[in-house]
Amino acid sequence: MMSSRNKITISTLRARKREGQKITMLTCYDYATARLMEEAQIDSLLVGDTYAEVCLGHPTTLPATMEHMVTVAEAVRRGAPTAYLVGDMPFLSYQVCPEEGIRNAGLFMAKAGCDCVKVEVDRRLVKTVEAMTAAAIPVMAHLGLKPQSIQSLGGYRVQGKQASAALRIIEDAKMMEDAGAVALLVEAVPKEVAAQITESTALPVIGCVSGPHCDGQVVVLHDMLGFGGGHPPRSVKQYARLHEQLLEAFQAYAKDVGEGAFPVAKESAAMDPAQLKELRRALEKRAP
Ligand code: KIV
């Protein structure tokens, strides 16, 4: 498949913001879906650690590992050569120390061909973002609801509803920009907070259930496809009803196989009549 667009880079995303054109981003976890997203000209693909939830069936993102994430990112890159590819740094791949963060981020960049890595941060991780930036690793800073902190947060809920908490997130965003982040992602913050962050930075700001004012939007693939499995169920607009459609397909297949309606003769390979005759003769000779 030849792509009909130029490679999407951070300059493309910055230009989109300047020109007021929205940026499209979806999570992606496999080659075939990446090919479709490339064909649909989705700007950016996030290999999210939600992989652990929607593909592996875990209740949180915490079990995602670097090995999983890099393998998936490699496949997604093969399917979407021109998309802006973001590798999501899994739990404990960057929180222990900046050096580990750099080494792990390097795998996304060098092995999978990612364009940047995403880290869930607040002001306490400024040094990590600075260190990665100094190591030529472009960082997308994920602010607001940070699902990797679910056990400390005590649940998935909107962050920054109180003025003081909102101010802290807005300040964190500025600190991330100063630390060298190339883009921001804000998850589950009130739309006013997302708007304030978006207006006050030149960085592209991608929103995830944070209202319409961000420079772009990201949603979890399975949620927007109505494919179930997502945990927690994020309330996003559904653009397909894959759960129902796939269930119907599986049930129809089971019925056909059960009733002998699949495969029919024309769906099966057949021997050349002369070869078949020869085979029968050979089998007869072998009969006791
Ligand atoms: O891992 C992920 O899919 C994410 C999105 C929810 C933004 O971080």
Side-chain angles (χ1 to χ4, degrees), residues 2 8 19 80 122 132 191 220 276 283:
M2 281 289 290
I8 306 285
E19 290 155 19
D122 57 34
M132 286 176 155
K191 59 182 185 303
V220 172
L276 184 58
L283 288 173

Side-chain angles (χ1 to χ4, degrees), residues 25-29 46-54 61 69 88-89 118 120 140 142 145 147-148 185-187 206-209 218-221 223 234:
M25 182 189 244
L26 283 170
T27 66
C28 189
Y29 316 99
L46 168 64
V47 179
D49 60 359
T50 40
Y51 172 78
E53 296 173 342
V54 298
T61 59
M69 299 301 295
D88 201 7
M89 301 277 294
K118 177 169 84 57
E120 295 182 13
M140 174 176 285
H142 178 148
L145 176 62
Q148 289 174 13
L185 187 151
V186 289
E187 177 168 357
I206 308 296
C208 179
V209 285
V218 62
V219 290
V220 172
L221 177 70
D223 296 340
R234 296 166 180 87

Side-chain angles (χ1 to χ4, degrees), residues 31-284:
Y31 168 76
T33 311
R35 278 177 63 114
L36 283 173
M37 290 183 186
E38 175 87 9
E39 198 177 331
Q41 306 219 331
I42 299 298
D43 295 316
S44 178
L45 273 47
L46 168 64
V47 179
D49 60 359
T50 40
Y51 172 78
E53 296 173 342
V54 298
C55 297
L56 301 183
H58 292 291
T60 71
T61 59
L62 302 194
T65 65
M66 275 305 297
E67 210 177 346
H68 293 140
M69 299 301 295
V70 172
T71 303
V72 173
E74 286 172 322
V76 170
R77 175 50 95 206
R78 282 193 285 274
T82 69
Y84 189 77
L85 183 62
V86 183
D88 201 7
M89 301 277 294
F91 182 56
L92 290 193
S93 67
Y94 57 98
Q95 290 95 336
V96 176
C97 63
E99 290 73 17
E100 258 185 55
I102 291 171
R103 234 174 263 296
N104 285 321
L107 297 175
F108 275 113
M109 306 299 294
K111 282 192 81 185
C114 285
D115 295 295
C116 87
V117 297
K118 177 169 84 57
V119 285
E120 295 182 13
V121 288
D122 57 34
R123 61 194 64 195
R124 292 169 295 186
L125 286 177
V126 159
K127 285 213 171 339
T128 300
V129 174
E130 279 173 352
M132 286 176 155
T133 302
I137 292 162
V139 174
M140 174 176 285
H142 178 148
L143 303 156
L145 176 62
K146 293 174 287 168
Q148 289 174 13
S149 305
I150 185 63
Q151 308 300 6
S152 336
L153 293 172
Y156 295 101
R157 52 181 82 91
V158 174
Q159 302 294 300
K161 279 169 100 174
Q162 303 298 316
S164 57
L167 185 62
R168 220 176 147 76
I169 295 171
I170 292 165
E171 287 173 357
D172 284 350
K174 175 77 179 105
M175 287 179 196
M176 290 304 146
E177 181 171 11
D178 293 344
V182 298
L184 304 176
L185 187 151
V186 289
E187 177 168 357
V189 300
K191 59 182 185 303
E192 297 83 357
V193 176
Q196 173 62 33
I197 292 171
T198 306
E199 279 159 23
S200 56
T201 175
L203 301 184
V205 179
I206 308 296
C208 179
V209 285
S210 295
H213 304 298
C214 299
D215 301 308
Q217 296 293 331
V218 62
V219 290
V220 172
L221 177 70
H222 291 57
D223 296 340
M224 63 89 78
L225 290 181
F227 195 11
H231 186 94
R234 296 166 180 87
S235 51
V236 303
K237 182 168 170 184
Q238 287 188 2
Y239 290 84
R241 302 213 156 271
L242 277 202
H243 179 96
E244 284 90 339
Q245 284 175 279
L246 292 180
L247 185 61
E248 244 174 61
F250 299 148
Q251 286 169 336
Y253 169 75
K255 183 165 175 288
D256 276 0
V257 172
E259 292 172 355
F262 172 83
V264 291
K266 70 172 188 298
E267 288 158 340
S268 318
M271 284 185 80
D272 170 74
Q275 290 300 316
L276 184 58
K277 217 165 161 188
E278 195 177 322
L279 173 64
R280 285 200 176 123
R281 246 187 267 121
L283 288 173
E284 268 165 28

